[in-house]
Amino acid sequence: MPSDPVQPKLIIHGGAGSSLKGKGGVDAVRKSLYAVIEEVYALLLAGATAREAVVRGCQLLEDDPRFNAGTGSVLQSDGQIRMSASLMDGTAQRFSGVINVSRVRNPIELALTLQDSDDRILSDHGAAELLRELQIPTYDPLTEIRLREWMLERAGNFTKEMAGVVAERELVGDNAGHGTIGVVVLDSKGQIAVGTSTGGKGFERIGRVSDSAMPAGNYAMPQAAVSCTGIGEDIIDECLAPRIVIRVADGLPLQLAFQRSFEEAHQNRRDLGAIGIDQTGAIAWGKTSEVLLAAYHTGEKVGDTLDWQGEQLVAGIAGDRS
């Protein structure tokens, strides 16, 4: 762990899917992502730890009804919302999370509470009991557009296999699924953390579990951290987040670890995306889907991936902590 302060780094995502429709859609999502970047990066400059910054970033994204996590989560086949979230502290190498939790505003807060627990992953009933123990007020994350999606699907008029990655029908293409939010942080002490949260893929079988509640979709070590988005089953089959992180821990540069992992995922016809940061301050992202809704702060500039198209699987920015 470095003794001298380092430049904090931050990258967040709001899901992956098909192309956003029109410049208005891109601008709306960019505005939401940049607002989160601005607030969380200010916290990092004020001395917040990686874990604190990750939790705050996830809270802000969960509170934005545009994204499929927290408020604005999609409905499962029975019309209920069941959310999953996890948090991993790379320095402690400790994972915690909740699976299919309902009636809570910020699932990431439960994952944070469980970081210091002997039992660090809870399913629906256990998470509900934890909510009662913490005396957290119940909250209904349902939004009108998510209810409308479900009603259209029930009536046979909703053609998408998954609910929209962005909760504004005029902003998304016909196949724009795969909504998840994620935050990866390197703080001024060189500590890394990651959090991921989702409402699921929409219309799924009752009890289906997202990769967002598993190390497959959310993983960190002292050397790197990765948050995934996309088809959860594809991410689990690739074990994508730990695959990338372990390659970095074994000595590969972050972008090369992303490249190899996404080449393999592409060969296996997976539909997914991911973001990551390593201990040098390198930032990387990758996708096999059309669009990855991500934004980042390098310490010098803010950028995003919203206009990133074409056949390229991976992109990134080299680290420099000198």
Side-chain angles (χ1 to χ4, degrees):
M1 191 65 60
S3 56
D4 296 330
V6 300
Q7 184 70 53
K9 302 294 174 72
L10 168 66
I11 185 167
I12 66 176
H13 73 72
S18 62
S19 298
L20 291 166
K21 281 188 175 181
K23 183 172 175 56
V26 173
D27 288 345
V29 173
R30 182 174 283 123
K31 181 178 180 181
S32 289
L33 293 175
Y34 279 31
V36 176
I37 289 285
E38 181 178 352
E39 179 168 335
V40 175
Y41 202 78
L43 290 176
L44 287 167
L45 291 179
T49 67
R51 192 169 81 170
E52 290 168 342
V54 163
V55 171
R56 183 55 183 155
C58 287
Q59 288 172 328
L60 292 169
L61 289 164
E62 287 173 339
D63 286 345
D64 189 332
R66 178 168 284 116
F67 302 114
N68 174 23
T71 303
S73 290
V74 298
L75 279 65
Q76 292 192 352
S77 57
D78 62 347
Q80 299 300 310
I81 291 175
R82 298 178 179 90
M83 301 166 286
S84 296
S86 65
L87 174 67
M88 190 160 188
D89 184 323
T91 303
Q93 206 168 331
R94 179 173 296 171
F95 183 96
S96 60
V98 289
I99 297 170
N100 287 340
V101 63
S102 301
R103 310 295 295 183
V104 62
R105 177 174 175 175
N106 296 115
I108 194 66
E109 293 180 8
L110 298 180
L112 174 62
T113 298
L114 292 168
Q115 273 280 299
D116 299 319
S117 171
D118 290 335
D119 306 311
R120 293 201 300 272
I121 305 173
L122 298 180
S123 62
D124 47 1
H125 297 301
E129 181 61 30
L130 179 61
L131 278 173
R132 287 190 288 270
E133 289 177 10
L134 297 174
Q135 297 184 329
I136 295 176
T138 59
Y139 176 81
D140 185 0
L142 180 66
T143 61
E144 181 181 352
I145 194 166
R146 293 307 193 188
L147 178 60
R148 193 182 314 136
E149 283 180 345
W150 184 81
M151 293 176 67
L152 287 169
E153 193 274 340
R154 292 293 89 185
N157 296 323
F158 194 69
T159 58
K160 292 184 286 186
E161 294 180 358
M162 295 172 59
V165 60
V166 175
E168 295 177 74
R169 288 179 58 80
E170 69 275 18
L171 300 186
V172 298
D174 290 337
N175 297 303
H178 332 339
T180 309
I181 64 93
V183 179
V184 189
V185 169
L186 174 74
D187 67 22
S188 60
K189 295 182 179 179
Q191 299 174 330
I192 293 176
V194 60
T196 307
S197 181
T198 188
K201 62 183 178 181
F203 319 127
E204 64 263 62
R205 181 186 293 270
I206 300 169
R208 180 258 184 186
V209 177
S210 164
D211 69 284
S212 298
M214 303 181 187
N218 188 71
Y219 195 73
M221 292 175 67
Q223 295 86 356
V226 170
S227 171
C228 300
T229 179
I231 300 292
E233 286 73 12
D234 285 357
I235 293 166
I236 293 166
D237 288 345
E238 291 294 307
C239 204
L240 185 62
R243 177 177 290 194
I244 296 170
V245 171
I246 291 170
R247 280 176 161 160
V248 175
D250 285 344
L252 279 185
L254 181 68
Q255 190 162 342
L256 183 54
F258 262 76
Q259 188 68 45
R260 290 190 183 178
S261 301
F262 272 85
E263 286 173 354
E264 293 161 353
H266 183 65
Q267 290 170 1
N268 291 331
R269 303 175 66 86
R270 310 298 192 193
D271 193 347
L272 41 75
I275 59 174
I277 294 177
D278 75 5
Q279 63 184 347
T280 74
I283 302 173
W285 55 90
K287 63 178 177 62
T288 58
S289 53
E290 284 187 50
V291 170
L292 175 67
L293 310 182
Y296 54 85
H297 201 311
T298 68
E300 298 178 352
K301 67 175 183 177
V302 177
D304 64 70
T305 68
L306 301 185
D307 297 317
W308 181 35
Q309 302 282 340
E311 299 298 320
Q312 185 181 11
L313 296 175
V314 169
I317 299 169
D320 182 4
R321 299 203 321 204
S322 60

